[in-house]
Amino acid sequence: MAKLLLKLQRYFRRKPVRFFTLLALYLAAGSLVFLHSGFSGEPTVPGSPRSPAAAEGPGLPYLGVMQLSRGFKAAATMPAGGRRHGPWFKSTSKEPSDRGKSRDNGGPRSRALRGRSGREKEEDRARYIGCYEDNTRQRTLRGMSFFDYKKMTVFRCQDNCAERGYLYAGLEFGAECYCGHKIQASNASESECNMECKGERSNTCGGINRLSIYRLELAQESARRYGSAIFRGCFRRPENVSIALPASQLMLNMSVDKCVDFCTEKEFPLAALAGTTCRCGFPSTLFPLHEREDEQLCAHKCAAEEFESCGSADFLLVYQTQVQDNRCMDRRFLPSRAKQLVALASFPGAGNTWARHLIELATGFYTGSYYFDGSLYNKGFKGERDHWRSGRTICIKTHESGQKEIESFDSAILLIRNPYKALMAEFNRKYGGHIGFAAHAHWKGKEWPEFVANYAPWWATHTLDWLRYGKKVLVVHFEDLKRDLFVQLQRMVALLGVTACEDRLLCVEGQKDGNFKRSGLRKLEYDPYTAEMRKAISGYIRTVDAALKLRNLSGVPEDYYPR
């Protein structure tokens, strides 16, 4: 072997060009192998394009060959930031000319039953409302539409409509998706929605000239975006409108774009369209945006845009602009050492980080943590570096559940969340970060079953321990905080002993999502819980429900059942 190496060394000394040529070929081959391995895995950058093979995972939907139709103007003529549109929409999408007959796999009734079971799984993000007639000349849903004749699923249609801020998603002919704010057709028989989805044979995607329509729960408030603005709803004109909305301008050629741009220039977070008048202001006690009216009361066409709605003198169509409401953005440490330690206790995945964000905005003081998370510190939680006993923060985040740890606190806000959602949120955090998502391989591998087996019992014992050993415990359900943020935040702030003015809490409502809340639009296309898992978790829910009622508290919310 030594002789062979010596001969090679002498050979390459005599012919160095060949040596360097072989070395270059070796390095080039290694680089190609490295590049291939880098592209063969699943992309880790959020929002990056995905291959068809990866489309079955929980990432962004793979749309395949599709047609997008907005029905306003050609994409080339649209401004870079996109357009903002009100409830008036019109689609120019055309129906395929070669429609065939649906395959009979067990008959229409069996497919309808399978579709209904699939709809039950979708109810967290959407609610199925029925089968409706459709017409190629006069569409039932007149917003955006797209077709995918290979991979259309109920989830993909719902997700794309919700992401664009529509209220309804409808599927037709097994492969067509239509979005809209208003259903403009009559009901049809359920048996007429009898075509399987092209990418999901177990579910129903309408029929020939028939739409399976869902109302999107995610297309509410912060999810209903129109370009850079957020649609807040239709509201009755406040009594002292000139005080509630101090800036105004007459616009004979009114449009959503013009009013939003005017209020943005004037640095107001709210733009209110009142027919031919654009009004700007802040959410306040005079105009709290708590009592929505039927959107049809605001459905008066804009003078400059036929397919937009501009409200009226009595009913205002309100949008939130990109201007930040600074009335609740100032934060600092407590001016003097806190006399009591207040815990913000929750099971992991129950929304503790989001609750901290809300509390800091509502009180103006930083929150602390029993732990240290550098990523949260870098995102603005400046109390993260303080020792949890420093007394400089308004409350302390903790996931601890032992008697000794619980008794270290003088009082606590106990945040409880539906265990099915909390477990999935914590699993996403563990494998994808605070606002990221676990990869498809983690859900399908051994990690998920092991995680549920270890963490599901802890969900119950965590609540039971805090109810048993906590000195003064305020129970707040995550679902109630989402549903009625203003009232629940008032309860939390009262326990913290801070007086927060009503205008500041209204400001928090407008800034509630921040950068610390995981997007609800990206969800699994299947239920990861097995029958055995659901049986065990249902038992834990009953145990916690009984413990809450034993202490004269309201039990767990109804949406924890049935499962």
Side-chain angles (χ1 to χ4, degrees):
M1 187 67 183
K3 290 181 179 180
L4 179 61
L5 292 173
L6 186 61
K7 286 181 180 179
L8 286 171
Q9 186 179 10
R10 289 176 180 173
Y11 175 78
F12 283 123
R13 279 182 180 176
R14 290 195 301 269
K15 301 182 183 293
V17 175
R18 293 185 181 181
F19 170 73
F20 287 113
T21 302
L22 287 172
L23 180 62
L25 289 172
Y26 174 78
L27 292 174
S31 300
L32 288 173
V33 171
F34 175 76
L35 288 172
H36 175 74
S37 64
F39 282 106
S40 62
E42 183 179 354
T44 57
V45 180
S48 60
R50 308 186 68 221
S51 67
E56 300 304 321
L60 298 174
Y62 171 71
L63 298 179
V65 180
M66 70 179 188
Q67 172 187 348
L68 284 175
S69 171
R70 288 190 176 274
F72 307 110
K73 297 179 182 178
T77 64
M78 292 179 66
R83 294 289 308 268
R84 296 176 283 265
H85 297 286
W88 292 86
F89 289 88
K90 179 180 179 181
S91 173
T92 58
S93 57
K94 296 181 180 180
E95 188 181 39
S97 58
D98 55 342
R99 290 195 167 188
K101 295 183 179 180
S102 60
R103 291 172 53 198
D104 188 7
N105 255 345
R109 179 172 176 79
S110 62
R111 281 194 292 275
L113 290 173
R114 287 200 304 272
R116 192 173 294 116
S117 66
R119 292 167 198 142
E120 290 171 359
K121 295 178 182 178
E122 305 291 333
E123 64 187 9
D124 289 338
R125 57 178 167 264
R127 176 170 54 87
Y128 178 72
I129 59 173
C131 182
Y132 284 79
E133 297 176 356
D134 196 22
N135 189 309
T136 56
R137 294 183 178 180
Q138 197 80 1
R139 287 294 181 189
T140 302
L141 297 175
R142 300 177 186 177
M144 184 208 77
S145 66
F146 73 92
F147 310 150
D148 189 343
Y149 292 97
K150 290 186 177 180
K151 291 185 174 291
M152 179 61 75
T153 66
V154 173
F155 168 83
R156 185 164 295 126
C157 180
Q158 292 174 352
D159 196 40
N160 278 272
C161 292
E163 190 174 12
R164 289 162 176 80
Y166 292 100
L167 286 177
Y168 299 100
L171 295 108
E172 182 172 344
F173 198 58
E176 301 175 6
C177 176
Y178 296 90
C179 312
H181 287 287
K182 184 180 178 183
I183 300 173
Q184 304 188 56
S186 305
N187 280 93
S189 170
E190 284 297 318
S191 60
E192 295 178 45
C193 284
N194 54 13
M195 298 190 72
E196 298 171 337
C197 302
K198 296 296 184 182
E200 189 179 29
R201 293 294 176 95
S202 61
N203 232 333
T204 301
C205 285
I208 299 175
N209 290 330
R210 294 294 181 266
L211 280 167
S212 297
I213 296 184
Y214 295 80
R215 180 177 174 85
L216 303 172
E217 302 302 328
L218 290 175
Q220 303 297 323
E221 298 179 3
S222 63
R224 283 188 68 182
R225 293 180 179 269
Y226 299 89
S228 61
I230 303 171
F231 180 72
R232 296 296 298 269
C234 177
F235 298 90
R236 187 180 295 274
R237 170 182 166 160
E239 291 184 6
N240 299 316
V241 66
S242 59
I243 299 175
L245 301 168
S248 65
Q249 181 167 314
L250 181 67
M251 295 182 178
L252 297 179
N253 292 323
M254 172 72 83
S255 71
V256 176
D257 278 328
K258 290 178 181 177
C259 186
V260 169
D261 290 343
F262 171 72
C263 293
T264 300
E265 185 179 340
K266 295 293 183 180
E267 297 188 350
F268 285 100
L270 293 184
L273 288 80
T276 56
T277 304
C278 174
R279 299 186 179 277
C280 316
F282 296 90
S284 65
T285 52
L286 294 175
F287 196 46
L289 304 183
H290 285 166
E291 297 181 7
R292 286 191 180 194
E293 302 289 346
D294 188 335
E295 284 184 31
Q296 292 303 309
L297 296 173
C298 289
H300 298 272
K301 295 181 182 180
C302 296
E305 292 288 344
E306 182 182 357
F307 304 116
E308 289 184 357
S309 203
C310 279
S312 67
D314 295 322
F315 293 95
L316 313 182
L317 205 60
V318 179
Y319 291 81
Q320 185 172 320
T321 71
Q322 287 285 294
V323 176
Q324 183 171 273
D325 190 344
N326 290 319
R327 295 175 300 169
C328 58
M329 299 308 293
D330 60 301
R331 286 169 290 173
R332 62 190 187 280
F333 289 103
L334 291 173
S336 58
R337 184 182 175 88
K339 296 179 181 179
Q340 292 189 332
L341 288 176
V342 183
L344 178 60
S346 73
F347 174 78
N352 200 303
T353 302
W354 181 50
R356 288 178 68 184
H357 165 71
L358 297 175
I359 289 171
E360 289 194 359
L361 294 185
T363 64
F365 297 113
Y366 289 120
T367 59
S369 178
Y370 196 83
Y371 322 97
F372 170 69
D373 189 326
S375 65
L376 290 181
Y377 176 83
N378 293 332
K379 289 180 179 178
F381 288 104
K382 300 304 180 185
E384 194 76 15
R385 277 189 176 176
D386 270 36
H387 188 274
W388 66 279
R389 283 186 176 275
S390 71
R392 298 207 305 159
T393 52
I394 193 69
C395 64
I396 311 297
K397 164 191 173 177
T398 180
H399 299 311
E400 301 300 310
S401 56
Q403 179 179 356
K404 182 180 177 181
E405 289 79 5
I406 292 173
E407 290 179 346
S408 300
F409 294 95
D410 300 295
S411 58
I413 298 170
L414 178 58
L415 191 62
I416 303 175
R417 187 181 186 183
N418 184 324
Y420 293 101
K421 305 288 184 61
L423 288 168
M424 292 177 71
E426 175 59 12
F427 190 73
N428 276 321
R429 186 206 64 80
K430 186 174 181 180
Y431 290 99
H434 279 282
I435 56 173
F437 294 86
H440 179 66
H442 292 134
W443 292 101
K444 286 296 188 181
K446 64 179 182 179
E447 292 94 341
W448 172 244
E450 290 178 355
F451 178 86
V452 173
N454 293 326
Y455 276 68
W458 182 20
W459 176 85
T461 58
H462 182 276
T463 300
L464 297 176
D465 283 355
W466 277 95
L467 291 175
R468 181 178 179 183
Y469 301 119
K471 297 172 185 176
K472 182 181 178 183
V473 179
L474 172 68
V475 174
V476 176
H477 293 284
F478 176 85
E479 294 76 16
D480 293 339
L481 188 59
K482 283 183 63 180
R483 189 180 304 113
D484 195 356
L485 185 142
F486 189 85
V487 171
Q488 297 302 322
L489 206 50
Q490 278 184 319
R491 296 176 63 221
M492 296 162 72
V493 168
L495 180 79
L496 296 171
V498 176
T499 302
C501 68
E502 207 167 323
D503 281 354
R504 186 172 185 114
L505 294 179
L506 290 169
C507 170
V508 177
E509 283 190 312
Q511 316 286 333
K512 62 181 181 181
D513 286 346
N515 298 317
F516 313 107
K517 188 169 176 283
R518 186 174 285 108
S519 170
L521 294 175
R522 182 180 174 185
K523 293 193 176 186
L524 289 177
E525 294 192 30
Y526 59 89
D527 187 349
Y529 292 100
T530 64
E532 185 179 352
M533 291 176 184
R534 289 195 293 270
K535 182 179 179 182
I537 293 172
S538 293
Y540 300 138
I541 292 173
R542 287 191 291 270
T543 301
V544 169
D545 185 62
L548 290 170
K549 290 177 178 177
L550 191 63
R551 288 159 179 78
N552 296 320
L553 300 169
S554 59
V556 298
E558 290 184 3
D559 56 7
Y560 287 25
Y561 298 104
R563 190 72 187 192

